[in-house]
């Protein structure tokens, strides 16, 4: 059995928008989601946030429009057949240039977003290539520093989703001692198929951060309950998940069958929470869970003043 070791992760805050993680190299056009100073592809210190790049492109388009209008104005003045025509052309052009400048300033934010959307759409394949290069970089440092490798994969996974990167992250987390104060994730790591290491991780999360056990995790556990039960300490994992589920009435109603199968294994505080939920709503459709609670309460906590 692999001995878990205590580790500390660097602070991590997911960006408001996933694209905020992206930077582009102004020299070679490579994309990255990591925080390195130099481009992994060309080695130049020419990385720039993608929203700044999009804003720069939008600014150039606006300048091009103004320049084109200025040239048309100058042409109109040059070809004016009289001084009056030249003056009117110049004045009219100046008014149009000022109006265009004002209008562009008003819609600059929208122009930036349009430019960003176009930039992402045109370069989706290059973005994928850059993220794959990032993933390979994370794997390359695995032997020397598995914590750094995990942190890199965590950064990349904001943009690069899928079972492969999630499985790699779960495998790395398996070697770490999890604590309540750690910045942990769960739903982002769920896989399409059964993975024993993921089941163990879910059990650990149920112990240290039960608030992370939500609908998708409960569905995953329910779907692979039989496989988890066959694992060493599988019943403990399932009991831990059941205990985490009783924090919300909605989960108790939706997963009453799962909770009922492990009700005997619930710690006292979790069973007390469940008992009070059912007592407070006796007319809900508990699917027989209320009867099981009554039986366990009578058998184990008959003389307990908390009940």
């Amino acid at each position: 059995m692999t001995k878990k070791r205590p580790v500390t992760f660097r602070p991590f805050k997911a960006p408001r928008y996933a694209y905020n993680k992206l930077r582009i190299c102004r020299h070679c056009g490579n994309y990255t989601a990591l925080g390195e100073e130099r481009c992994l592809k060309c080695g130049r210190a020419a990385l720039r946030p993608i929203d700044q790049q999009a804003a720069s492109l939008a600014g150039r388009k606006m300048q091009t429009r103004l320049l084109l209008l200025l040239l048309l104005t100058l042409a109109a003045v040059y070809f004016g057949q009289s001084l009056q025509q030249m003056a009117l052309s110049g004045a009219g052009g100046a008014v149009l240039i000022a109006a265009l400048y004002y209008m562009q300033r008003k819609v600059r934010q929208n122009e930036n977003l349009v430019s960003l959307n176009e930039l992402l759409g045109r370069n989706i394949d290059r973005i994928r290539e850059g993220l794959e290069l990032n993933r390979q970089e994370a794997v390359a440092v695995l032997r020397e520093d598995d914590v750094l490798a995990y942190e890199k994969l965590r950064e990349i996974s904001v943009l690069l989703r899928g079972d492969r990167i999630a499985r790699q992250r779960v495998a790395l987390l398996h070697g770490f001692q999890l604590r309540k104060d750690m910045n942990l994730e769960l739903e982002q790591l769920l896989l399409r198929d059964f993975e024993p290491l993921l089941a163990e991780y879910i059990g650990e999360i149920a112990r240290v951060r039960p608030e992370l056990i939500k609908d998708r995790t409960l569905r995953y556990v329910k779907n692979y309950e039989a496989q988890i039960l066959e694992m060493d300490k599988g019943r403990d994992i399932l009991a831990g998940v059941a205990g985490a589920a009783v924090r919300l009435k909605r989960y108790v109603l939706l997963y009453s069958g799962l909770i009922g199968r492990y009700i005997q294994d619930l710690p006292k505080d979790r069973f007390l929470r469940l008992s009070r939920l059912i007592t407070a709503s006796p007319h809900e459709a508990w699917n027989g869970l209320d009867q099981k609670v009554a039986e366990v309460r009578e058998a184990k906590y008959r003389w307990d003043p908390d009940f």
Side-chain angles (χ1 to χ4, degrees), residues 221-239:
V221 170
K222 185 178 179 181
N223 289 340
Y224 296 108
E225 181 182 356
Q227 291 91 326
I228 296 173
L229 201 55
E230 292 175 357
M231 294 172 55
D232 183 33
K233 297 185 178 179
R235 190 171 185 88
D236 292 340
I237 293 172
L238 292 165

PDB file of all heavy atoms in Angstrom, residues 221-239:
ATOM      1  N   VAL A 221     -21.361   7.353  -7.556  1.00  0.00           N
ATOM      2  CA  VAL A 221     -21.280   6.327  -6.515  1.00  0.00           C
ATOM      3  C   VAL A 221     -22.434   5.336  -6.643  1.00  0.00           C
ATOM      4  O   VAL A 221     -22.246   4.118  -6.507  1.00  0.00           O
ATOM      5  CB  VAL A 221     -21.277   6.987  -5.123  1.00  0.00           C
ATOM      6  CG1 VAL A 221     -21.449   5.948  -4.021  1.00  0.00           C
ATOM      7  CG2 VAL A 221     -19.980   7.765  -4.916  1.00  0.00           C
ATOM      8  N   LYS A 222     -23.613   5.843  -6.920  1.00  0.00           N
ATOM      9  CA  LYS A 222     -24.771   4.960  -7.075  1.00  0.00           C
ATOM     10  C   LYS A 222     -24.592   4.026  -8.274  1.00  0.00           C
ATOM     11  O   LYS A 222     -24.909   2.830  -8.200  1.00  0.00           O
ATOM     12  CB  LYS A 222     -26.035   5.800  -7.242  1.00  0.00           C
ATOM     13  CG  LYS A 222     -27.319   4.985  -7.296  1.00  0.00           C
ATOM     14  CD  LYS A 222     -28.532   5.894  -7.419  1.00  0.00           C
ATOM     15  CE  LYS A 222     -29.822   5.079  -7.508  1.00  0.00           C
ATOM     16  NZ  LYS A 222     -31.004   5.962  -7.657  1.00  0.00           N
ATOM     17  N   ASN A 223     -24.059   4.556  -9.371  1.00  0.00           N
ATOM     18  CA  ASN A 223     -23.865   3.742 -10.577  1.00  0.00           C
ATOM     19  C   ASN A 223     -22.837   2.631 -10.368  1.00  0.00           C
ATOM     20  O   ASN A 223     -22.956   1.551 -10.949  1.00  0.00           O
ATOM     21  CB  ASN A 223     -23.435   4.627 -11.749  1.00  0.00           C
ATOM     22  CG  ASN A 223     -24.557   5.517 -12.247  1.00  0.00           C
ATOM     23  OD1 ASN A 223     -25.729   5.246 -12.002  1.00  0.00           O
ATOM     24  ND2 ASN A 223     -24.202   6.594 -12.930  1.00  0.00           N
ATOM     25  N   TYR A 224     -21.814   2.921  -9.571  1.00  0.00           N
ATOM     26  CA  TYR A 224     -20.727   1.957  -9.384  1.00  0.00           C
ATOM     27  C   TYR A 224     -20.685   1.418  -7.955  1.00  0.00           C
ATOM     28  O   TYR A 224     -19.629   1.006  -7.471  1.00  0.00           O
ATOM     29  CB  TYR A 224     -19.393   2.609  -9.755  1.00  0.00           C
ATOM     30  CG  TYR A 224     -19.320   2.995 -11.215  1.00  0.00           C
ATOM     31  CD1 TYR A 224     -19.386   4.332 -11.604  1.00  0.00           C
ATOM     32  CD2 TYR A 224     -19.225   2.025 -12.206  1.00  0.00           C
ATOM     33  CE1 TYR A 224     -19.335   4.689 -12.947  1.00  0.00           C
ATOM     34  CE2 TYR A 224     -19.175   2.370 -13.548  1.00  0.00           C
ATOM     35  CZ  TYR A 224     -19.232   3.702 -13.907  1.00  0.00           C
ATOM     36  OH  TYR A 224     -19.189   4.041 -15.236  1.00  0.00           O
ATOM     37  N   GLU A 225     -21.837   1.402  -7.319  1.00  0.00           N
ATOM     38  CA  GLU A 225     -21.918   0.929  -5.935  1.00  0.00           C
ATOM     39  C   GLU A 225     -21.404  -0.502  -5.794  1.00  0.00           C
ATOM     40  O   GLU A 225     -20.658  -0.816  -4.848  1.00  0.00           O
ATOM     41  CB  GLU A 225     -23.364   1.021  -5.444  1.00  0.00           C
ATOM     42  CG  GLU A 225     -23.554   0.572  -4.010  1.00  0.00           C
ATOM     43  CD  GLU A 225     -25.011   0.630  -3.579  1.00  0.00           C
ATOM     44  OE1 GLU A 225     -25.862   1.094  -4.370  1.00  0.00           O
ATOM     45  OE2 GLU A 225     -25.291   0.194  -2.447  1.00  0.00           O
ATOM     46  N   ALA A 226     -21.782  -1.369  -6.712  1.00  0.00           N
ATOM     47  CA  ALA A 226     -21.372  -2.777  -6.623  1.00  0.00           C
ATOM     48  C   ALA A 226     -19.855  -2.915  -6.698  1.00  0.00           C
ATOM     49  O   ALA A 226     -19.246  -3.681  -5.935  1.00  0.00           O
ATOM     50  CB  ALA A 226     -22.035  -3.585  -7.738  1.00  0.00           C
ATOM     51  N   GLN A 227     -19.227  -2.174  -7.608  1.00  0.00           N
ATOM     52  CA  GLN A 227     -17.769  -2.243  -7.744  1.00  0.00           C
ATOM     53  C   GLN A 227     -17.072  -1.672  -6.509  1.00  0.00           C
ATOM     54  O   GLN A 227     -16.051  -2.201  -6.057  1.00  0.00           O
ATOM     55  CB  GLN A 227     -17.311  -1.488  -8.996  1.00  0.00           C
ATOM     56  CG  GLN A 227     -17.722  -2.152 -10.305  1.00  0.00           C
ATOM     57  CD  GLN A 227     -19.056  -1.649 -10.814  1.00  0.00           C
ATOM     58  OE1 GLN A 227     -19.955  -1.328 -10.030  1.00  0.00           O
ATOM     59  NE2 GLN A 227     -19.193  -1.572 -12.128  1.00  0.00           N
ATOM     60  N   ILE A 228     -17.614  -0.586  -5.975  1.00  0.00           N
ATOM     61  CA  ILE A 228     -17.017   0.012  -4.772  1.00  0.00           C
ATOM     62  C   ILE A 228     -17.130  -0.946  -3.595  1.00  0.00           C
ATOM     63  O   ILE A 228     -16.197  -1.094  -2.798  1.00  0.00           O
ATOM     64  CB  ILE A 228     -17.697   1.362  -4.450  1.00  0.00           C
ATOM     65  CG1 ILE A 228     -17.438   2.375  -5.574  1.00  0.00           C
ATOM     66  CG2 ILE A 228     -17.193   1.919  -3.119  1.00  0.00           C
ATOM     67  CD1 ILE A 228     -18.199   3.680  -5.422  1.00  0.00           C
ATOM     68  N   LEU A 229     -18.253  -1.619  -3.497  1.00  0.00           N
ATOM     69  CA  LEU A 229     -18.484  -2.537  -2.384  1.00  0.00           C
ATOM     70  C   LEU A 229     -17.489  -3.698  -2.399  1.00  0.00           C
ATOM     71  O   LEU A 229     -17.163  -4.257  -1.343  1.00  0.00           O
ATOM     72  CB  LEU A 229     -19.915  -3.069  -2.454  1.00  0.00           C
ATOM     73  CG  LEU A 229     -20.524  -3.627  -1.161  1.00  0.00           C
ATOM     74  CD1 LEU A 229     -20.450  -2.605  -0.034  1.00  0.00           C
ATOM     75  CD2 LEU A 229     -21.962  -4.045  -1.401  1.00  0.00           C
ATOM     76  N   GLU A 230     -16.989  -4.044  -3.570  1.00  0.00           N
ATOM     77  CA  GLU A 230     -16.013  -5.126  -3.681  1.00  0.00           C
ATOM     78  C   GLU A 230     -14.603  -4.687  -3.279  1.00  0.00           C
ATOM     79  O   GLU A 230     -13.724  -5.526  -3.082  1.00  0.00           O
ATOM     80  CB  GLU A 230     -15.983  -5.654  -5.119  1.00  0.00           C
ATOM     81  CG  GLU A 230     -17.261  -6.379  -5.526  1.00  0.00           C
ATOM     82  CD  GLU A 230     -17.246  -6.790  -6.986  1.00  0.00           C
ATOM     83  OE1 GLU A 230     -16.260  -6.446  -7.685  1.00  0.00           O
ATOM     84  OE2 GLU A 230     -18.205  -7.445  -7.429  1.00  0.00           O
ATOM     85  N   MET A 231     -14.386  -3.388  -3.162  1.00  0.00           N
ATOM     86  CA  MET A 231     -13.063  -2.883  -2.808  1.00  0.00           C
ATOM     87  C   MET A 231     -12.766  -3.087  -1.326  1.00  0.00           C
ATOM     88  O   MET A 231     -13.680  -3.214  -0.506  1.00  0.00           O
ATOM     89  CB  MET A 231     -12.971  -1.376  -3.126  1.00  0.00           C
ATOM     90  CG  MET A 231     -13.054  -1.014  -4.583  1.00  0.00           C
ATOM     91  SD  MET A 231     -13.175   0.780  -4.826  1.00  0.00           S
ATOM     92  CE  MET A 231     -11.721   1.364  -3.934  1.00  0.00           C
ATOM     93  N   ASP A 232     -11.477  -3.096  -1.004  1.00  0.00           N
ATOM     94  CA  ASP A 232     -11.076  -3.076   0.391  1.00  0.00           C
ATOM     95  C   ASP A 232     -11.549  -1.750   0.998  1.00  0.00           C
ATOM     96  O   ASP A 232     -11.274  -0.677   0.454  1.00  0.00           O
ATOM     97  CB  ASP A 232      -9.551  -3.199   0.489  1.00  0.00           C
ATOM     98  CG  ASP A 232      -9.076  -3.267   1.924  1.00  0.00           C
ATOM     99  OD1 ASP A 232      -9.807  -3.834   2.760  1.00  0.00           O
ATOM    100  OD2 ASP A 232      -7.978  -2.748   2.202  1.00  0.00           O
ATOM    101  N   LYS A 233     -12.277  -1.824   2.083  1.00  0.00           N
ATOM    102  CA  LYS A 233     -12.876  -0.653   2.740  1.00  0.00           C
ATOM    103  C   LYS A 233     -13.927   0.024   1.859  1.00  0.00           C
ATOM    104  O   LYS A 233     -14.234   1.205   2.042  1.00  0.00           O
ATOM    105  CB  LYS A 233     -11.802   0.363   3.144  1.00  0.00           C
ATOM    106  CG  LYS A 233     -10.810  -0.181   4.163  1.00  0.00           C
ATOM    107  CD  LYS A 233      -9.842   0.896   4.626  1.00  0.00           C
ATOM    108  CE  LYS A 233      -8.881   0.344   5.675  1.00  0.00           C
ATOM    109  NZ  LYS A 233      -7.912   1.369   6.128  1.00  0.00           N
ATOM    110  N   GLY A 234     -14.469  -0.735   0.915  1.00  0.00           N
ATOM    111  CA  GLY A 234     -15.499  -0.170   0.052  1.00  0.00           C
ATOM    112  C   GLY A 234     -16.748   0.233   0.808  1.00  0.00           C
ATOM    113  O   GLY A 234     -17.367   1.256   0.510  1.00  0.00           O
ATOM    114  N   ARG A 235     -17.107  -0.564   1.805  1.00  0.00           N
ATOM    115  CA  ARG A 235     -18.294  -0.231   2.590  1.00  0.00           C
ATOM    116  C   ARG A 235     -18.086   1.069   3.370  1.00  0.00           C
ATOM    117  O   ARG A 235     -19.014   1.861   3.530  1.00  0.00           O
ATOM    118  CB  ARG A 235     -18.647  -1.377   3.541  1.00  0.00           C
ATOM    119  CG  ARG A 235     -20.004  -1.189   4.207  1.00  0.00           C
ATOM    120  CD  ARG A 235     -20.476  -2.407   4.980  1.00  0.00           C
ATOM    121  NE  ARG A 235     -21.828  -2.171   5.476  1.00  0.00           N
ATOM    122  CZ  ARG A 235     -22.927  -2.441   4.795  1.00  0.00           C
ATOM    123  NH1 ARG A 235     -22.837  -2.969   3.581  1.00  0.00           N
ATOM    124  NH2 ARG A 235     -24.122  -2.184   5.316  1.00  0.00           N
ATOM    125  N   ASP A 236     -16.864   1.277   3.846  1.00  0.00           N
ATOM    126  CA  ASP A 236     -16.567   2.531   4.551  1.00  0.00           C
ATOM    127  C   ASP A 236     -16.716   3.730   3.612  1.00  0.00           C
ATOM    128  O   ASP A 236     -17.196   4.795   4.019  1.00  0.00           O
ATOM    129  CB  ASP A 236     -15.148   2.499   5.116  1.00  0.00           C
ATOM    130  CG  ASP A 236     -14.991   1.485   6.242  1.00  0.00           C
ATOM    131  OD1 ASP A 236     -16.019   1.097   6.831  1.00  0.00           O
ATOM    132  OD2 ASP A 236     -13.848   1.089   6.521  1.00  0.00           O
ATOM    133  N   ILE A 237     -16.281   3.552   2.359  1.00  0.00           N
ATOM    134  CA  ILE A 237     -16.420   4.626   1.374  1.00  0.00           C
ATOM    135  C   ILE A 237     -17.890   4.955   1.162  1.00  0.00           C
ATOM    136  O   ILE A 237     -18.299   6.128   1.187  1.00  0.00           O
ATOM    137  CB  ILE A 237     -15.765   4.224   0.038  1.00  0.00           C
ATOM    138  CG1 ILE A 237     -14.251   4.102   0.199  1.00  0.00           C
ATOM    139  CG2 ILE A 237     -16.111   5.236  -1.059  1.00  0.00           C
ATOM    140  CD1 ILE A 237     -13.546   3.523  -1.015  1.00  0.00           C
ATOM    141  N   LEU A 238     -18.701   3.922   0.971  1.00  0.00           N
ATOM    142  CA  LEU A 238     -20.127   4.123   0.713  1.00  0.00           C
ATOM    143  C   LEU A 238     -20.831   4.729   1.926  1.00  0.00           C
ATOM    144  O   LEU A 238     -21.702   5.598   1.778  1.00  0.00           O
ATOM    145  CB  LEU A 238     -20.769   2.797   0.322  1.00  0.00           C
ATOM    146  CG  LEU A 238     -20.309   2.243  -1.034  1.00  0.00           C
ATOM    147  CD1 LEU A 238     -20.700   0.785  -1.190  1.00  0.00           C
ATOM    148  CD2 LEU A 238     -20.888   3.073  -2.174  1.00  0.00           C
ATOM    149  N   ALA A 239     -20.443   4.297   3.115  1.00  0.00           N
ATOM    150  CA  ALA A 239     -21.037   4.868   4.324  1.00  0.00           C
ATOM    151  C   ALA A 239     -20.651   6.337   4.473  1.00  0.00           C
ATOM    152  O   ALA A 239     -21.468   7.175   4.884  1.00  0.00           O
ATOM    153  CB  ALA A 239     -20.592   4.076   5.551  1.00  0.00           C
TER     154      ALA A 239
END
